Amino acid sequence: MFVQTVCRLCSSCCPVEAEIDNGRLLAARRKSPLPEARQIPCPKLAAAPDIVYAPDRLQQPLIKDGRGTFREASWDEALDLVAERFQFFKKAHGAESVCWLRGMAADWGAPWDYANRLMNGFGSPNTIGNGSVCYVGRVFAHAAVYGAVTFPQPRRARCILVWGKNDHDTNPGAAEAILEARRNGARLIVVDPVRTPLAEQADIWLRVKPAHDGPLAMAMIHEIISADLHDADFVDNWTVGFEELRRAAARFPAEKVAERLWLRPEEIREAARLYATTRPACIIDGSGLDMQLDSFDATRAVCMLRALTGNLDVPGGDFLAQPVPARNIQLKERLPAGVGPITEAYPLFNGFSDFWGNQVQSCVTDAILEGKPYPVRMLVSQSGNPAVSLMDSDRVRRALEQLDFLVVIDMFMNRTAKMADVVLPACSCFEKTQLNRAALRNSLVVLQNQVIEPLGSSWPDWKIIFALGRRLGLHEEFPWQSAEEAIDYQLAPTGITVRMLREQPDGIHAVEVRHKKYEGAGFKTASGKVELFSRKLHQHGHAPVPFADGFPAGPISFSDQAEHYPLLGTSGARTSRFTHSQFFRIPSLAQGSKGCAVDIHPADAAAHGIKEGDRIRVETPRGSLTMPAHLFDEAHQGVIRIAWGWGELDPACNLNSLTDDQRRNPVIGTPSGRNFMCRITRIAGQNPVNPGTKAHV
Ligand SMILES: Nc1nc2c(c(=O)[nH]1)N[C@H]1C(S)=C(S)[C@@H](COP(=O)(O)OP(=O)(O)OC[C@H]3O[C@@H](n4cnc5c(=O)[nH]c(N)nc54)[C@H](O)[C@@H]3O)O[C@H]1N2
Ligand SMILES: Nc1nc2c(c(=O)[nH]1)N[C@H]1C(S)=C(S)[C@@H](COP(=O)(O)OP(=O)(O)OC[C@H]3O[C@@H](n4cnc5c(=O)[nH]c(N)nc54)[C@H](O)[C@@H]3O)O[C@H]1N2
Ligand code: SF4
Ligand SMILES: [Mo]
């Protein structure tokens, strides 16, 4: 039997077809319009049955006893204990002392709305996502410029500009669309410090210095405006602040800034001209723009390129989102007045959208360790692994240790779960029905279908939250006994039901898809136009025009200590086999992997007396890690690229032990963690058992 659903083994939310026999998941295949030979395989999806039936899946609630060992418990006992702790801390310190932190796996599903509903109903404003390091900060930058996020339309584009996105390894369906367009003659520009598979195919690859995207975008804007390549009609009719932007960009002439960006002036000019003169063109921005200190303004500047060139909301350009008019079920209006969220230092980011809510995860660590703005005592960590994924792991570890009570909801006993007082076993994405919330952002509603029964006594996230809500007295708020009932309630304003979605597994458009929507009602900004100058940001003390003060100072962590830390470290290096800290213990994924490594330029390796496979230590002022060296010349000399996520398997390989969480973007709270100055030394002894090898599995 084949069942259509959505894969959530990473955040790309690919539509897939699951093959089931006798209630067992046999395989899952991504739906693609292309013949198999032209598809890009996803090893994680191929390993879906191994992940779902992994022997170390959590299948029973666990409670830690006084001696620090876990014992199995019933759902009733575990949920009663968690609910009792919620009420205890509410009484002793106020509801706001309880915080819910969610990781990547929750936000694209309705559980994000449910967690907000539970916490708001309980009286705590602290449901915190990780959007200050992932995507949501970018969404806010789009919204600040156009009032809505845009979606690139590469299939119909004549020119595609990929900015800090490695779709080949992170979103194969999207990469297929780019490569198909390329085959059909579209031009391709890639902005990435690393030669990715897409950069390999590009007409122009701009190997920009990490964290210098803002100045590059400004230099491209300058080139376009000074060569009169902008869309003057669109600019006149639909933008405010053109003159201010023109003046700011004039501080970034290619010949003046290129060297500081590690580029040649002509490359910048050529890329700007190709993008501006080949229409329609779309820009695919990615996580390479996140996790930078200047992420917000860099993304705004990139957004402005779309507007200047008249590519907004035209077919083959960048489509302005048409959100699905679903019910907002978060119950934010129920929060008592007076107590703000722990993210209160970022009011614009907290308030720009009802959909996303509070997203500066670093504030959780501040509140626990420093009581800023007030203490958090109890934390529920759902579908995340903050011990590994938050910047500055040593600080995070201290915070998690200092908590009075930690609850983890997960499928596996990850490093964070090990520190918990209660662990609640969650189902995998194939064991539950949920609204694919990613789809709600743009017209097409798609259902993630349950295709097999939950493993052991694991529960879907929705069931855990509903049951906990009712234990907290929120019976009316959580009346639903099934995911279907809750989804029908949320979708009621659209007229779409779960039954209809099951009949149309490719999804149903909740609104009619239209281009150039602004021609009717204008843009959803304060001025009704594209804001190249933002009065609102200005009123809040932020730069109204990006980089109007010129070249940014010190976007890279520890650059003031470059004398002792001469190499530029970058994190990332996602491979198609793993999602962040997940799946390293799945034999079929681990065995074919190259393992973790520090990628280092041969010239830097030679200067340090390092050979392929040598054991090296990487240090920053925050901490150190140890990994084997891998010589590669796909990035600039002076840059090392460090494998991401492996700290889950071995704390000695934890990338975030190097990163900084102190300096943050003032608007969206992004730490400068992706790029940092560091130093390396070859050290004696054996490499830590390389997680990719059989020995570790
Ligand atoms: N230095 C550095 N830091 C980074 C990044 C980087 O590139 N470099 N990347 C950043 C980014 S973009 C992100 S999104 C974050 C990711 O940060 P996290 O979300 O903390 O990372 P994951 O390792 O994916 O952890 C997800 C956890 O959810 C569990 N899980 C999976 N599915 C479900 C489910 O349906 N329900 C429940 N309850 N649990 C589930 C998994 O078992 C896993 O333990 O890390 C960020 N941190
Ligand atoms: N296989 C796999 N797929 C995933 C995930 C995973 O962990 N594994 N995670 C999922 C999640 S939560 C996310 S957010 C997405 C992320 O997916 P992407 O948006 O593709 O992000 P990354 O792979 O982190 O980085 C993209 C590119 O940015 C480049 N980059 C690094 N620093 C800079 C910089 O300063 N400027 C520029 N211009 N580029 C830079 C990197 O070299 C990389 O090629 O992937 C999702 N899909
Ligand atoms: S890229 Fe692979 S793991 Fe991620 S959602 Fe798509 S099929 Fe699943
Ligand atoms: Mo992410």
Side-chain angles (χ1 to χ4, degrees):
M1 181 175 70
F2 293 90
V3 187
Q4 319 279 313
T5 184
V6 174
C7 173
R8 285 291 295 99
L9 296 174
C10 84
S11 58
S12 294
C13 299
C14 301
V16 298
E17 187 174 66
E19 187 181 350
I20 315 298
D21 186 40
N22 246 330
R24 215 179 148 80
L25 176 70
L26 294 185
R29 277 172 285 274
R30 194 164 52 78
K31 294 196 258 177
S32 167
L34 298 183
E36 208 162 318
R38 297 227 293 273
Q39 289 179 23
I40 300 170
C42 173
K44 300 184 291 305
L45 186 66
D50 303 337
I51 294 169
V52 168
Y53 301 113
D56 55 345
R57 270 281 303 272
L58 295 169
Q59 299 198 30
Q60 193 71 38
L62 300 170
I63 295 178
K64 204 175 258 170
D65 64 22
R67 294 186 311 281
T69 29
F70 284 114
R71 65 168 172 84
E72 291 193 347
S74 68
W75 274 101
D76 274 343
E77 186 191 3
L79 287 174
D80 281 347
L81 174 61
V82 174
E84 182 276 319
R85 291 284 89 188
F86 262 80
Q87 302 293 17
F88 170 83
F89 288 105
K90 182 177 188 170
K91 202 160 163 213
H93 306 286
E96 67 277 9
S97 66
V98 182
C99 175
W100 193 293
L101 175 65
R102 67 108 185 102
M104 186 275 300
D107 59 344
W108 301 117
W112 172 237
D113 292 319
Y114 302 152
N116 271 283
R117 187 174 177 89
L118 178 135
M119 293 298 281
N120 290 337
F122 169 71
S124 170
N126 293 319
T127 317
I128 313 289
N130 72 355
S132 64
V133 294
C134 174
Y135 185 64
V136 189
R138 244 182 299 143
V139 175
F140 180 27
H142 285 230
V145 180
Y146 333 116
V149 67
T150 58
F151 292 91
Q153 300 174 298
R155 283 196 172 80
R156 293 169 73 179
R158 303 299 308 147
C159 177
I160 302 169
L161 171 47
V162 177
W163 203 306
K165 197 153 202 318
N166 179 17
D167 274 329
H168 193 275
D169 295 313
T170 59
N171 191 341
E176 283 170 8
I178 298 169
L179 293 174
E180 272 310 285
R182 182 96 186 92
R183 273 189 204 101
N184 294 330
R187 312 298 297 272
L188 180 62
I189 306 167
V190 172
V191 180
D192 201 301
V194 178
R195 186 166 51 222
T196 61
L198 286 175
E200 198 88 57
Q201 309 261 336
D203 294 285
I204 302 176
W205 166 38
L206 294 179
R207 190 175 59 174
V208 67
K209 181 173 182 184
H212 286 67
D213 300 273
L216 172 60
M218 293 304 280
M220 289 175 69
I221 290 173
H222 173 69
E223 181 63 23
I224 289 169
I225 295 178
S226 56
D228 236 356
L229 297 176
H230 57 285
D231 182 332
D233 274 352
F234 182 87
V235 167
D236 286 348
N237 293 318
W238 290 110
T239 67
V240 292
F242 179 70
E243 199 37 46
E244 286 91 340
L245 178 64
R246 194 190 60 74
R247 272 204 304 275
R251 304 180 72 158
F252 295 84
E255 53 286 356
K256 205 170 126 202
V257 295
E259 204 181 329
R260 295 173 80 180
L261 306 180
W262 293 354
L263 295 167
R264 286 175 289 113
E266 53 277 21
E267 289 176 294
I268 301 177
R269 280 198 218 105
E270 207 190 321
R273 282 164 185 262
L274 180 60
Y275 169 69
T277 56
T278 320
R279 293 194 203 168
C282 68
I283 303 183
I284 303 179
D285 57 38
S287 215
L289 281 166
D290 299 337
M291 290 178 267
Q292 304 186 11
L293 199 60
D294 297 318
S295 170
F296 184 67
D297 278 347
T299 310
R300 271 208 304 152
V302 171
C303 286
M304 290 174 189
L305 281 167
R306 297 186 179 100
L308 289 174
T309 50
N311 278 304
L312 268 187
D313 224 16
V314 297
D318 296 285
F319 185 77
L320 284 161
Q322 290 182 290
V324 172
R327 205 175 239 148
N328 184 338
I329 59 164
Q330 295 186 7
L331 293 182
K332 204 171 166 191
E333 65 284 0
R334 288 273 293 275
L335 279 176
V339 185
I342 52 173
T343 55
E344 66 184 15
Y346 305 96
L348 293 179
F349 192 27
N350 294 341
F352 89 96
S353 130
D354 284 342
F355 187 83
W356 289 111
N358 302 326
Q359 295 284 345
V360 186
Q361 55 182 3
S362 304
C363 293
V364 177
T365 349
D366 299 348
I368 301 169
L369 281 178
E370 293 158 23
K372 271 197 329 209
Y374 50 77
V376 158
R377 317 241 171 206
M378 171 171 173
L379 184 72
V380 180
S381 170
Q382 181 199 6
S383 66
N385 193 4
V388 176
S389 58
L390 265 62
M391 308 287 159
D392 194 352
S393 297
D394 185 51
R395 188 164 182 271
V396 176
R397 180 188 49 76
R398 280 185 278 120
L400 294 175
E401 281 171 1
Q402 194 166 312
L403 279 167
D404 290 335
F405 205 74
L406 174 62
V407 180
V408 166
I409 307 176
D410 208 285
M411 292 152 58
F412 291 98
M413 182 55 83
N414 63 23
R415 297 242 160 228
T416 311
K418 287 193 176 118
M419 302 176 76
D421 298 285
V422 174
V423 180
L424 302 175
C427 290
S428 78
C429 56
F430 296 100
E431 294 151 64
K432 61 186 172 191
T433 292
Q434 63 180 26
L435 195 55
N436 183 248
R437 203 168 171 270
L440 289 190
R441 295 170 305 152
N442 195 20
S443 155
L444 188 70
V445 187
V446 186
L447 191 69
Q448 178 186 318
N449 258 313
Q450 176 177 350
V451 300
I452 51 167
E453 287 302 311
L455 213 72
S457 291
S458 67
W459 279 13
D461 290 77
W462 64 262
K463 188 169 169 183
I464 299 172
I465 299 175
F466 295 1
L468 180 59
R470 290 193 284 263
R471 273 177 171 75
L472 293 172
L474 301 168
H475 298 273
E476 276 176 30
E477 292 78 359
F478 293 101
W480 313 296
Q481 297 302 322
S482 67
E484 287 79 358
E485 284 171 54
I487 296 169
D488 281 346
Y489 175 80
Q490 192 169 1
L491 286 182
T494 67
I496 297 169
T497 61
V498 170
R499 208 158 57 90
M500 290 160 69
L501 290 168
R502 290 210 163 118
E503 280 160 13
Q504 285 169 259
D506 290 336
I508 301 174
H509 280 285
V511 284
E512 187 203 342
V513 176
R514 284 190 305 119
H515 288 92
K516 290 204 174 180
K517 296 175 281 291
Y518 56 86
E519 284 185 343
F523 288 88
K524 292 179 189 140
T525 54
S527 61
K529 297 196 171 177
V530 171
E531 303 207 335
L532 309 175
F533 176 102
S534 164
R535 188 188 289 267
K536 188 163 182 187
L537 285 168
H538 192 42
Q539 282 164 349
H540 280 79
H542 305 303
V545 177
F547 305 103
D549 294 335
F551 212 91
I556 295 167
S557 312
F558 320 124
S559 44
D560 54 339
Q561 300 174 59
E563 202 186 319
H564 304 294
Y565 299 96
L567 288 175
L568 203 169
T570 82
S571 82
R574 301 186 203 296
T575 76
S576 58
R577 311 187 82 79
F578 307 111
T579 299
H580 306 296
S581 72
Q582 300 182 61
F583 312 140
F584 297 110
R585 292 189 184 85
I586 304 297
S588 56
L589 288 171
Q591 277 160 16
S593 129
K594 295 197 199 87
C596 69
V598 175
D599 297 330
I600 172 170
H601 195 278
D604 294 322
H608 286 80
I610 289 170
K611 296 186 303 299
E612 176 75 26
D614 278 356
R615 185 181 189 218
I616 60 171
R617 176 184 297 137
V618 185
E619 286 171 279
T620 71
R622 292 289 167 272
S624 65
L625 61 70
T626 309
M627 283 188 193
H630 169 60
L631 271 52
F632 95 146
D633 61 1
E634 288 160 26
H636 206 281
Q637 188 180 342
V639 172
I640 61 167
R641 185 178 69 160
I642 303 159
W644 159 231
W646 298 83
E648 169 58 23
L649 258 197
D650 187 340
C653 305
N654 187 2
L655 172 57
N656 276 326
S657 40
L658 302 176
T659 54
D660 175 60
D661 192 19
Q662 268 159 39
R663 285 198 314 151
R664 296 180 201 155
N665 182 282
V667 186
I668 57 171
T670 306
S672 60
R674 184 156 194 149
N675 316 100
F676 44 84
M677 300 310 292
C678 60
R679 65 175 171 233
I680 55 172
T681 15
R682 188 161 68 88
I683 50 173
Q686 280 226 313
N687 271 311
V689 182
N690 203 330
T693 64
K694 276 189 189 153
H696 210 92
V697 180

